[in-house]
Amino acid sequence: MELRIAVSKIDKYGDTNSGDTVEVMERPNGGMSVVLADGQIQGSDNKSISTMVTHRVINHISNGIHDGAAIRASSTSIYNEFEGKVSSNLNVISADLQSNTIIISRNTPIPVFLISDDSVDSLTAESEPIGHRVDITPTIVELQIRPGLAVIVFSDGVYHAGRQGQQISDISTTIEAVIEEQELYSQEIADFLLNRAIRMDEGRPKDDMSVVVMSVLPQTTDKIRRLNVAMTLDE
């Protein structure tokens, strides 16, 4: 099998300091984790907060702490440091080779979408951002790693594109249409969903937009691990 991770993101129109942060890390006992966070101070987007959140979560995971405990520890420390004035929507997706599972941890009201056996499901259990109060816990789902499984997470800028508050059924139908046209290529799915959101905001994103896709493919050509990164730079 082969694990693929893709990230597509764009800043809010007219703002080059995106409030979203995405980090990818190799887990200490094998596997990969992706952390997606936004950040607000008293309701205003703040890049430094989302960066701080992702780094703290990654630091805990890299020290061998389980994802849920890493999130709880990060939330508590941020609450104590900022006295509840900071909040962050947070997603952590991990392919843990020690347990042979994909672990999906949510601290956001935005659903996570799953592709399995050519069908699309959504994770919609109640969940809240970290940092604004004590004793916040993530909503966690753990699935066996298997070919054909994909996890899609995105920030609220994608979910609320067009400012209509996208219906879960509409997004599920869109994802189903994409996977009918092509195999589970993570980057193509991420690009399609991001471009769709940009179009819905009439080409001028009204918020930072990020899409992360983790997929498991049945085939593998060799045992080499590869990571490709591309970023558009302002001229």
Side-chain angles (χ1 to χ4, degrees):
M1 292 184 291
E2 180 176 290
L3 180 72
R4 291 193 181 182
I5 297 169
V7 178
S8 294
K9 65 196 302 282
I10 191 170
D11 297 340
K12 178 180 178 181
Y13 181 77
D15 186 355
T16 58
N17 185 29
S18 171
D20 293 350
T21 298
V22 181
E23 299 280 358
V24 180
M25 65 164 289
E26 189 168 1
R27 295 175 68 84
N29 295 315
M32 301 291 292
S33 291
V34 188
V35 182
L36 165 63
D38 64 14
Q40 299 90 33
I41 296 179
Q42 296 181 327
S44 298
D45 291 342
N46 190 285
K47 176 67 173 179
S48 64
I49 297 301
S50 63
T51 301
M52 178 184 65
V53 169
T54 57
H55 287 181
R56 291 194 184 184
V57 172
I58 284 175
N59 182 61
H60 287 310
I61 293 175
S62 66
N63 287 324
I65 298 175
H66 290 170
D67 293 18
I71 292 169
R72 292 193 297 272
S74 300
S75 180
T76 298
S77 67
I78 291 168
Y79 174 82
N80 291 334
E81 184 173 341
F82 292 93
E83 300 178 334
K85 297 176 182 177
V86 160
S87 68
S88 173
N89 288 305
L90 174 66
N91 285 288
V92 181
I93 315 172
S94 296
D96 186 345
L97 299 188
Q98 189 173 36
S99 62
N100 198 39
T101 59
I102 288 181
I103 306 164
I104 305 163
S105 304
R106 291 174 53 238
N107 279 99
T108 171
I110 307 302
V112 169
F113 292 84
L114 303 177
I115 301 173
S116 180
D117 300 323
D118 295 326
S119 65
V120 180
D121 296 308
S122 58
L123 304 180
T124 58
E126 185 175 346
S127 182
E128 63 179 312
I130 69 167
H132 67 99
R133 68 174 182 85
V134 296
D135 299 327
I136 293 178
T137 60
T139 301
I140 298 177
V141 172
E142 195 165 354
L143 304 168
Q144 285 296 122
I145 294 176
R146 60 184 184 275
L149 178 66
V151 182
I152 304 172
V153 302
F154 36 69
S155 61
D156 54 357
V158 175
Y159 189 69
H160 295 299
R163 284 300 181 270
Q164 299 301 314
Q166 299 308 298
Q167 298 296 318
I168 292 172
S169 59
D170 291 343
I171 296 177
S172 295
T173 300
T174 298
I175 296 172
E176 287 173 354
V178 175
I179 63 177
E180 283 179 0
E181 296 295 327
Q182 56 193 13
E183 296 184 40
L184 280 177
Y185 292 115
S186 301
Q187 194 64 63
E188 286 83 352
I189 295 172
D191 289 348
F192 181 90
L193 292 173
L194 182 68
N195 286 322
R196 174 180 181 268
I198 293 171
R199 289 195 304 271
M200 294 181 72
D201 272 352
E202 299 179 338
R204 297 184 174 189
K206 295 180 175 60
D207 198 355
D208 304 308
M209 295 180 173
S210 301
V211 182
V212 178
V213 181
M214 177 183 286
S215 60
V216 183
L217 302 181
Q219 75 276 8
T220 182
T221 55
D222 52 42
K223 294 185 180 298
I224 298 174
R225 286 176 287 184
R226 299 175 175 87
L227 178 64
N228 298 309
V229 180
M231 176 180 287
T232 301
L233 303 178
D234 295 332
E235 296 182 357

